[in-house]
C-alpha cells in the first residue's frame, strides 16, 4: 500500500510540473503592453513614455505571437510560438522565437523568453532574475494598440 501511495505522489508531482494549460481567459488575440520597467541596478520604476522603449506582445489562438518594440524611433518585430507551463502551481508563458533578435529579453541567451502569468491581465518578464530589467505588461484591447 505504501508503494502505491508513493507512486501516486511521484506521478502527481511530475504531471503538475509538466502540465501545459492556457491560463489566459477571453477572446484572442491577447495583447500585452509594456507598462512598467524597473531598473535592475537601483530598483527605480519607470512608466509610460519615460521608459527606454515601448513594447507589445500579441498572442494568437494558434499559439503564435508577434513581439513589437519601438526604440529610438525604430520599430522592430519578432515572431514565434508560445506555450503555457505550470511549475510549482505557478503559470508561465514560454515564448520561443523563430530567429535571433535584439529584442529577445532572456536569461538564457537563446531563442526563449519566460513570462510569469500574474493574472489574465498582467504578465511579468523573468529577465530580472538574472540582472535584466523588470518588465511588467498589462493586457490591452486590440493588437497593435499603443
Amino acid at each position: 500500500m505504501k508503494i502505491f501511495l508513493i507512486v501516486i505522489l511521484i506521478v502527481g508531482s511530475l504531471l503538475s510540473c509538466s502540465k501545459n494549460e492556457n491560463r489566459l481567459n477571453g477572446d484572442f488575440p491577447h495583447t500585452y503592453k509594456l507598462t512598467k520597467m524597473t531598473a535592475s541596478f537601483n530598483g527605480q520604476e519607470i512608466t509610460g513614455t519615460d521608459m527606454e522603449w515601448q513594447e507589445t506582445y500579441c498572442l494568437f489562438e494558434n499559439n503564435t505571437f508577434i513581439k513589437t518594440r519601438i526604440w529610438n524611433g525604430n520599430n522592430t518585430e519578432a515572431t514565434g510560438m508560445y506555450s503555457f507551463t505550470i511549475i510549482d502551481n505557478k503559470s508561465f508563458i514560454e515564448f520561443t522565437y523563430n530567429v535571433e533578435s535584439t529584442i529577445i529579453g532572456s536569461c538564457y541567451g537563446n531563442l526563449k523568453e519566460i513570462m510569469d502569468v500574474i493574472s489574465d491581465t498582467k504578465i511579468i518578464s523573468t529577465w530580472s532574475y538574472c540582472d535584466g530589467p523588470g518588465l511588467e505588461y498589462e493586457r490591452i484591447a486590440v493588437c497593435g494598440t499603443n
Side-chain angles (χ1 to χ4, degrees), residues 9 32 42 61 75 120 138 140 146:
L9 288 173
Y32 290 86
N42 65 8
E61 194 166 12
N75 188 347
D120 286 344
E138 297 283 335
I140 58 175
N146 292 321

Side-chain angles (χ1 to χ4, degrees), residues 20-114:
N20 278 330
E21 181 178 318
N22 182 342
R23 291 287 192 152
L24 304 177
N25 294 319
D27 294 329
F28 280 88
H30 291 255
T31 303
Y32 290 86
K33 180 180 180 181
L34 179 63
T35 57
K36 182 169 51 173
M37 298 177 109
T38 305
S40 60
F41 54 91
N42 65 8
Q44 177 186 5
E45 291 184 357
I46 306 161
T47 60
T49 57
D50 292 335
M51 293 186 295
E52 190 172 350
W53 64 80
Q54 303 298 310
E55 189 167 85
T56 59
Y57 287 83
C58 188
L59 283 61
F60 299 97
E61 194 166 12
N62 66 355
N63 290 84
T64 62
F65 73 92
I66 299 171
K67 179 179 181 179
T68 304
R69 180 181 288 174
I70 301 169
W71 189 7
N72 293 328
N74 296 314
N75 188 347
T76 305
E77 286 190 349
T79 61
M81 302 290 292
Y82 69 90
S83 61
F84 293 89
T85 188
I86 297 175
I87 302 169
D88 294 332
N89 292 321
K90 236 178 133 108
S91 185
F92 295 89
I93 304 173
E94 181 177 277
F95 294 96
T96 303
Y97 289 84
N98 294 328
V99 296
E100 272 296 324
S101 175
T102 58
I103 67 173
I104 299 173
S106 173
C107 295
Y108 308 107
N110 57 16
L111 298 176
K112 294 191 184 294
E113 283 181 333
I114 308 291

